[in-house]
Amino acid sequence: MTSAIIVAAGEGKRMGSAIPKQFLKIGEHTILWHTVNGFVTSAIFEEIIIVLSKYYLDEGVELQKSFPHQNIILCQGGEQRFHSVKNALAKVAKNCQAVFIHDAVRPFFSTEFLQKCLTTWQKNGSAIPSIAINDSIRKIVGEKSIAQAREFFRSIQTPQVFDYKKLVAAYGQDYRTSYTDDASVYEQAGEQIFLVEGEVENIKITTPADLDWATFKLRKNLED
């Protein structure tokens, strides 16, 4: 059994909007709707758990109505993303094998990409999408900066795919501020991380400029 957790409990402060960015609209639907739709149309998942702030659970109920033939489960988020994922894992079916964890504000991914992540998990036990860094990078050390070899670094995306039972065990650890994603939690528990090639367009919509690009991307998709 394959399950998906979509984390949509964040406040999205960098967007500077009155509502969390996952509830902003691109075209006729919210960003969250577009993300959920991508998972639903892939036909890979037996269940999709959506993690929401307690203030937006009603929006989750409306989202369920949009996908009446998909098993969509709502879950209340926690204090940090770590706690939100931990809450969601408690709602995953116990016979789950692979669990995908995805940022709600990454709506532009393909079914082929999801399948590639699943295949990598089947082979290696985890799948963490990443893409090469094209810009030059520098490390800040005090008041100085030091050039770094970008070929030794990758930019990490979601969905990240794990063995369900091992991920539950990993989330039995205490929370640390160093946990920047689920892969860092999994790795801290002694599990191995395997990278898979990500998709360049699978951006995380964080700023108004990202939203402008996403709107343009959706219009282009509709025209094609």
Side-chain angles (χ1 to χ4, degrees), residues 82-83 86 170-176 179 185 188:
F82 173 91
H83 305 103
K86 188 171 184 176
Y171 269 89
Q173 303 173 103
D174 291 334
Y175 169 69
R176 300 184 181 193
Y179 292 152
V185 179
Q188 180 63 36

Side-chain angles (χ1 to χ4, degrees), residues 119-127 166 186 192-195:
T119 300
T120 300
W121 168 82
Q122 290 169 334
K123 180 180 178 181
N124 298 312
S126 67
K166 290 181 178 179
Y186 201 67
Q192 193 165 358
I193 296 302
F194 291 89
L195 300 183

Side-chain angles (χ1 to χ4, degrees), residues 24-215:
L24 296 175
K25 285 191 173 182
I26 303 178
E28 297 181 359
H29 299 289
T30 65
I31 293 172
L32 177 57
W33 185 94
H34 288 289
T35 300
V36 173
N37 187 58
F39 277 81
V40 171
T41 57
S42 74
I44 292 174
F45 304 94
E46 284 83 0
E47 63 179 8
I48 299 173
I49 295 94
I50 303 176
V51 191
L52 296 161
S53 162
K54 63 182 179 180
Y55 302 110
Y56 287 90
L57 290 173
D58 287 344
E59 282 76 0
V61 173
E62 291 303 310
L63 195 61
Q64 286 176 314
K65 295 176 183 177
S66 295
F67 303 99
H69 302 297
Q70 176 70 50
N71 182 22
I72 293 179
I73 301 165
L74 304 182
C75 174
Q76 185 171 312
E79 181 180 356
Q80 304 289 341
R81 188 182 190 280
F82 173 91
H83 305 103
S84 291
V85 173
K86 188 171 184 176
N87 289 353
L89 286 170
K91 292 193 175 276
V92 172
K94 302 310 176 186
N95 62 333
C96 174
Q97 295 175 302
V99 57
F100 284 58
I101 305 182
H102 189 60
D103 299 324
V105 289
R106 290 185 189 268
F108 296 111
F109 53 86
S110 65
T111 294
E112 292 75 19
F113 173 55
L114 296 179
Q115 187 60 57
K116 182 169 63 174
C117 290
L118 182 60
T119 300
T120 300
W121 168 82
Q122 290 169 334
K123 180 180 178 181
N124 298 312
S126 67
I128 312 301
S130 70
I131 57 173
I133 296 174
N134 295 321
D135 296 326
S136 294
I137 60 174
R138 300 184 70 86
K139 180 179 179 180
I140 304 300
V141 182
E143 296 181 355
K144 297 181 179 180
S145 66
I146 303 171
Q148 303 290 300
R150 65 188 174 199
E151 61 265 28
F152 296 119
F153 295 87
R154 302 281 288 185
S155 181
I156 301 301
Q157 301 179 333
T158 68
Q160 299 180 357
V161 191
F162 308 93
D163 178 273
Y164 167 66
K165 291 183 178 178
K166 290 181 178 179
L167 188 63
V168 169
Y171 269 89
Q173 303 173 103
D174 291 334
Y175 169 69
R176 300 184 181 193
T177 56
S178 59
Y179 292 152
T180 58
D181 62 358
D182 304 288
S184 57
V185 179
Y186 201 67
E187 191 171 42
Q188 180 63 36
E191 303 295 344
Q192 193 165 358
I193 296 302
F194 291 89
L195 300 183
V196 61
E197 191 65 31
E199 289 187 323
V200 174
E201 292 184 343
N202 180 30
I203 70 164
K204 186 176 183 180
I205 300 174
T206 304
T207 67
D210 296 332
L211 186 62
D212 289 343
W213 179 88
T215 302

